[in-house]
Amino acid sequence: MKLTRKCAICKEDCRKEEMIQYTSYSGKTSHWLCRDCYTQKINREAFSNKVCQIFQIKTPGPRIWADRKKIQEKYGYTDQIIIDCLDYLYKVQNTKILSESLCLVTPTNVEKMLQYKKTQLAKAQLLAAAANQEIKEHIVPIKEIEERKKEILNPDDFLDE
């Protein structure tokens, strides 16, 4: 009995215990992947799903994948930074989507996005600190109201006068 399996992506032999059986969301067949290929596959699908959600498309086209590769090689940005930048541009700044590409993911826009995230994080920390702050109670003494004695008037007393 064979103790190794080939990874479906990198085609390297790995021990069966180290392999992960994976089926994509849209796939019908499962594949055995090594840990490295598995994490790359998960990251790629997460990127694909988020880009599809932002641009409201079914699948990213070759232009998006080419732009992604260029951005990662040129600037060293991760998929998460690219997605965060797209979210910032299209949801926070309400930039109009002119084309389905990653051409707006530039160092300037990434810097703006990182600054925005820092301010949001600072606001969240202030809010959390305010929520965790102890509240000092000051008890105000209340004067008890004495019951007034009702003066009973007799209508006959007014008639005699």
Side-chain angles (χ1 to χ4, degrees), residues 15-48:
R15 292 178 37 196
K16 282 185 178 181
E17 297 86 27
E18 296 173 358
M19 300 293 283
I20 300 168
Q21 190 172 12
Y22 178 72
T23 305
S24 64
Y25 296 117
S26 59
K28 294 182 181 179
T29 59
S30 61
H31 300 284
W32 288 96
L33 304 174
C34 64
R35 293 191 188 280
D36 294 334
C37 293
Y38 174 74
T39 55
Q40 290 174 1
K41 184 82 167 170
I42 293 294
N43 291 340
R44 184 178 170 94
E45 282 191 6
F47 176 79
S48 173

Side-chain angles (χ1 to χ4, degrees), residues 9-135:
I9 295 175
C10 67
K11 307 294 184 206
E12 289 189 26
D13 283 333
C14 296
R15 292 178 37 196
K16 282 185 178 181
E17 297 86 27
E18 296 173 358
M19 300 293 283
I20 300 168
Q21 190 172 12
Y22 178 72
T23 305
S24 64
Y25 296 117
S26 59
K28 294 182 181 179
T29 59
S30 61
H31 300 284
W32 288 96
L33 304 174
C34 64
R35 293 191 188 280
D36 294 334
C37 293
Y38 174 74
T39 55
Q40 290 174 1
K41 184 82 167 170
I42 293 294
N43 291 340
R44 184 178 170 94
E45 282 191 6
F47 176 79
S48 173
N49 290 337
K50 192 64 178 177
V51 166
C52 290
Q53 183 183 22
I54 291 170
F55 290 121
Q56 298 174 354
I57 54 178
K58 289 185 179 181
T59 57
R63 181 174 180 186
I64 290 176
W65 293 113
D67 287 347
R68 173 183 173 253
K69 187 175 181 180
K70 286 177 189 173
I71 290 170
Q72 287 178 338
E73 288 174 357
K74 187 172 184 179
Y75 303 115
Y77 296 151
T78 63
D79 287 339
Q80 191 60 45
I81 290 176
I82 296 170
I83 289 170
D84 288 345
C85 187
L86 291 174
D87 265 345
Y88 171 74
L89 290 170
Y90 296 121
K91 291 183 180 174
V92 176
Q93 285 192 334
N94 296 323
T95 305
K96 189 174 180 180
I97 298 174
L98 299 175
S99 67
E100 297 164 356
S101 75
L102 307 179
C103 63
L104 293 178
V105 180
T106 60
T108 307
N109 288 333
V110 168
E111 193 62 38
K112 288 179 186 176
M113 177 269 305
L114 292 173
Q115 190 63 32
Y116 173 76
K117 285 183 84 173
K118 282 182 186 176
T119 58
Q120 291 299 315
L121 182 63
K123 286 179 185 177
Q125 287 174 346
L126 285 174
L127 187 61
N132 291 334
Q133 185 178 13
E134 289 185 28
I135 299 173

Side-chain angles (χ1 to χ4, degrees), residues 138-145:
H138 180 69
I139 299 173
V140 179
I142 300 174
K143 292 182 182 177
E144 292 189 26
I145 301 175

Side-chain angles (χ1 to χ4, degrees), residues 145-151:
I145 301 175
E146 298 176 6
E147 284 190 39
R148 289 193 224 165
K149 293 185 179 177
K150 294 182 183 178
E151 186 178 333

